[in-house]
């Protein structure tokens, strides 16, 4: 039997809690899914799921075996991704960048990686946590991620600081102040990207704000564009790599530029032959650094 395929049936049924929804997720009909799970149960000699009118409920054995099944399914997907990467490695550079990287730096890095006419550059923009996982698994050759971050299983280059600004509502008192200070923002909520994207960097930013007299909770926004909209609406402030420009309802402040600068670095898998690609991106980051 195709063990991985049938384990994927089990994992999907467990996650959906319903055979019909699991079948839809797997793009198949319910009868072959149910039959496949039954064959898996017969193969291992124990029931994994109780079939009820309300849906699917894990047995004690199913609960115990689900984490291992997930690992096997995930590892098989990583194996296929790595095999595809190796088979197409010549002429293809797969790289990633944190979503906090400014557009101008993102595009400059992508252009720098296309060193030869026949080289194809594939770019992924995501959170630091997801990018480190992608590099570690081989789905990305290298990536620009935030610092600090948990970098287990990858190698990392030097840290570079990219300029950031505090953005506030244009009508806010800090935008009119001759010498604005962080405590002036105490009546606003901090619009920040989710902590799950990189807990270490998120917590570091919160510490920087507290050190400067601003101890407030963050309001989660999915991306910089949403943060700009939240600021323009008048109830939030943010920290952005977007340089000062004319945006209705938004003003840019230069506050503690060195402290709030975005710290980034290049990461890659140990043993990966990416030296020239790392060097190309490092040159771009060096040009963009805080002077």
């Amino acid at each position: 039997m195709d063990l991985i395929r049938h384990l994927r049936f089990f994992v999907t049924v467990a996650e959906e809690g319903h055979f019909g929804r699991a079948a839809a997720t797997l793009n198949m009909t319910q009868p072959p899914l149910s039959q496949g799970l039954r064959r898996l149960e017969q193969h291992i000699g124990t029931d994994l799921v109780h079939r009820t009118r309300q849906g699917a409920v894990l047995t004690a054995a199913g609960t115990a075996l689900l984490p291992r099944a997930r690992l096997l399914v995930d590892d098989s997907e990583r194996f296929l991704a790595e095999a595809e990467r190796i088979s197409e490695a010549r002429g293809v550079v797969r790289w990633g960048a944190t979503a906090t990287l400014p557009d101008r730096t993102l595009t400059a890095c992508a252009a720098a990686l296309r060193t030869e006419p026949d080289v194809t550059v594939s770019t992924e923009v995501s959170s630091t946590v997801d990018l480190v996982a992608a590099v570690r698994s081989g789905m990305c050759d290298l990536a620009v991620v935030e610092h600090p971050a948990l970098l287990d299983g990858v190698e990392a280059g030097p840290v570079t600081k990219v300029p950031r600004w505090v953005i506030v509502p244009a009508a806010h008192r800090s935008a009119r102040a001759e010498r604005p200070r962080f405590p002036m923002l105490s009546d606003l909520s901090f619009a920040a990207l989710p902590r799950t994207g990189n807990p270490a960097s998120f917590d570091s930013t919160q510490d920087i704000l507290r050190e400067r007299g601003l101890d407030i909770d963050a309001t989660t926004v999915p991306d910089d564009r949403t943060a700009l909209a939240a600021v323009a609406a008048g109830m939030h402030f943010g920290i952005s790599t977007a340089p000062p420009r004319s945006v209705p309802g938004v003003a840019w402040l230069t506050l503690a530029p060195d402290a709030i600068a975005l710290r980034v670095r290049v990461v890659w898998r140990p043993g990966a032959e990416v030296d020239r690609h790392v060097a190309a991106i490092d040159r771009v980051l060096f040009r963009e650094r805080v002077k």
Side-chain angles (χ1 to χ4, degrees), residues 7 10 13-14 19 34-52 56-66:
L7 286 174
F10 167 49
V13 169
F19 278 89
S34 182
Q35 294 165 10
L37 182 54
R38 180 64 69 189
R39 282 195 293 272
L40 174 63
E41 291 173 323
Q42 292 171 349
H43 181 71
I44 64 175
T46 186
D47 289 342
L48 298 171
V49 173
H50 287 309
R51 289 130 174 104
T52 69
V57 179
L58 292 180
T59 64
T63 300
L65 292 172
L66 179 60

Side-chain angles (χ1 to χ4, degrees), residues 5-247:
R5 179 168 180 265
H6 287 78
L7 286 174
R8 186 175 286 108
F9 290 173
F10 167 49
V11 170
T12 307
V13 169
E15 291 176 345
E16 296 292 342
H18 190 276
F19 278 89
R21 291 195 296 269
T25 298
L26 293 166
N27 293 316
M28 61 189 300
T29 58
Q30 185 172 333
L33 170 62
S34 182
Q35 294 165 10
L37 182 54
R38 180 64 69 189
R39 282 195 293 272
L40 174 63
E41 291 173 323
Q42 292 171 349
H43 181 71
I44 64 175
T46 186
D47 289 342
L48 298 171
V49 173
H50 287 309
R51 289 130 174 104
T52 69
R53 290 184 178 181
Q54 290 72 34
V57 179
L58 292 180
T59 64
T63 300
L65 292 172
L66 179 60
R68 179 63 60 183
R70 280 200 178 103
L71 285 174
L72 289 169
V73 171
D74 289 345
D75 281 348
S76 71
E77 292 174 352
R78 292 191 182 97
F79 172 83
L80 293 174
E82 175 69 357
E84 181 183 1
R85 187 191 70 81
I86 292 173
S87 67
E88 299 178 356
R90 295 184 179 278
V92 178
V93 180
R94 293 179 174 85
W95 82 291
T98 169
T100 55
L101 201 67
D103 292 346
R104 64 182 183 278
T105 309
L106 175 73
T107 55
C109 288
L113 289 172
R114 194 171 185 272
T115 56
E116 301 169 5
D118 58 345
V119 170
T120 299
V121 178
S122 175
T123 303
E124 177 182 351
V125 177
S126 190
S127 70
T128 288
V129 168
D130 289 342
L131 289 172
V132 171
V135 170
R136 187 169 53 241
S137 68
M139 298 181 71
C140 274
D141 298 312
L142 69 163
V144 179
V145 301
E146 296 173 351
H147 171 81
L150 183 60
L151 301 180
D152 57 311
V154 300
E155 295 189 11
V159 176
T160 301
K161 293 185 291 185
V162 177
R164 287 199 296 190
W165 292 264
V166 175
I167 51 176
V168 299
H172 192 260
R173 57 175 177 159
S174 61
R176 302 188 301 270
E178 183 177 345
R179 299 182 63 186
R181 294 289 183 268
F182 278 103
M184 292 182 179
L185 311 181
S186 59
D187 59 334
L188 300 173
S189 176
F190 178 32
L193 299 187
R195 183 178 184 273
T196 53
N198 184 15
S201 180
F202 182 97
D203 293 345
S204 176
T205 299
Q206 290 288 81
D207 289 342
I208 289 170
L209 295 178
R210 291 190 187 101
E211 288 171 0
R212 284 154 179 78
L214 195 59
D215 191 1
I216 57 175
D217 293 329
T219 298
T220 299
V221 293
D223 50 46
D224 279 349
R225 294 180 66 191
T226 309
L228 278 169
V231 171
M235 300 298 293
H236 299 80
F237 77 93
I239 298 177
S240 176
T241 56
R245 62 184 189 271
S246 178
V247 176

